[in-house]
Each structure stands twice: as structure tokens, then as C-alpha cells.
Amino acid sequence: VINPHSKGSVTLKVMEYSYDDDLEELCPVCGDKVSGYHYGLLTCESCKGFFKRTVQNNKRYTCAENQECKIDKTQRKRCPFCRFQKCLSVGMRLEGKRKHLLPQQKKDTFLTH
DNA sequence: TTAGCCTTGAAA
DNA sequence: TTTCAAGGCTAA
């Protein structure tokens, strides 16, 4: 913005845009803060660990309700079954067992903010 | 069992 | 050499 009141000088005002609203930084599973890519997508540290444990030890859970439990940061512990279901539904996959397999370029998803 | 921090190793 | 996600570790 050019200040019309300044004579010889020009003041430039930089508009700092804050899209605080939807800056996808939340785990698609529980809404916690993401810590990076885990099993294919951005998730939080806890869901990463949960998914890992579940897969590694072949955990089998059962839902006490109708397998429709809402998963959020405070209820995620409540129903592992629904939590795992959600992990799968949002796209978590165990396609990167360490020690082999090429992660190739999964650069299809950017963080173009 | 959960979840945050740490180690590791393949890819860039 | 740096990056960063998989897997390890462990306090609570």
C-alpha cells in the first residue's frame, strides 16, 4: 500500500495472510497435531504408534457398540476397533516396512500452503 | 496400552 | 551429508 501522505518516501505494507482456519495440520483420525507422514499420510504420533502396534502384533479389537464410535483426541482410547477402522478408512497402509521396499516418490501430495 | 521421544537407515 | 519415516523404547 502506498501511503498517500508521505512525500518522497513510499511505505509498503505487507499483508500477512493468516489462514489459521484450515491449515491441515490435524490428524485425519483423531484430530490431534500431526507429526509427519506415517503409513502413507500425515497423522499424529499417537495414531502412528497405535497403527504400528496393531499391525505388528496382529491386534484384533472388537467394538462394544455399533462400530460407529466417533474418534477424537479424547475418545480415541475408548474404542481401538473404531480407531483402527478409521485409520484404514482415511488411507493408512503398511506399505513401507523398513529394511526394504522403495518409498519411491509419494510426492503426489504436497503441502502447498 | 498409550503416546512422546529416540535410533536407524534408505533415499535424495 | 541431510532428511525423515519406520521401528524401538519406556514413563505413566
Side-chain angles (χ1 to χ4, degrees):
Chain A
V1 174
I2 299 175
N3 186 339
H5 301 302
S6 62
K7 288 184 174 180
S9 59
V10 173
T11 28
L12 188 72
K13 201 164 216 170
V14 177
M15 175 186 268
E16 67 172 280
Y17 47 106
S18 55
Y19 29 67
D20 306 294
D21 3 70
D22 61 337
L23 203 178
E24 291 303 325
E25 56 175 21
L26 302 104
C27 176
V29 179
C30 68
D32 203 347
K33 190 180 60 135
V34 306
S35 69
Y37 279 93
H38 302 293
Y39 303 98
L41 36 57
L42 288 166
T43 70
C44 69
E45 194 67 20
S46 72
C47 287
K48 163 205 160 189
F50 171 74
F51 190 83
K52 176 183 64 180
R53 264 179 276 130
T54 302
V55 170
Q56 288 183 328
N57 309 92
N58 254 326
K59 293 288 185 56
R60 295 309 154 97
Y61 310 115
T62 45
C63 179
E65 301 301 317
N66 311 300
Q67 315 193 336
E68 317 175 322
C69 304
K70 301 291 169 289
I71 305 298
D72 61 37
K73 176 157 188 182
T74 53
Q75 288 188 301
R76 64 193 182 200
K77 293 192 194 67
R78 188 73 59 181
C79 184
F81 180 92
C82 291
R83 187 185 187 177
F84 189 58
Q85 283 283 95
K86 194 162 182 185
C87 283
L88 296 175
S89 71
V90 298
M92 289 182 83
R93 298 284 122 83
L94 69 165
E95 24 187 73
K97 317 296 298 173
R98 191 146 97 152
K99 278 317 196 279
H100 75 26
L101 279 211
L102 54 170
Q104 294 173 310
Q105 62 261 62
K106 60 170 67 169
K107 273 296 158 189
D108 9 291
T109 32
F110 305 136
L111 287 157
T112 44
H113 290 154

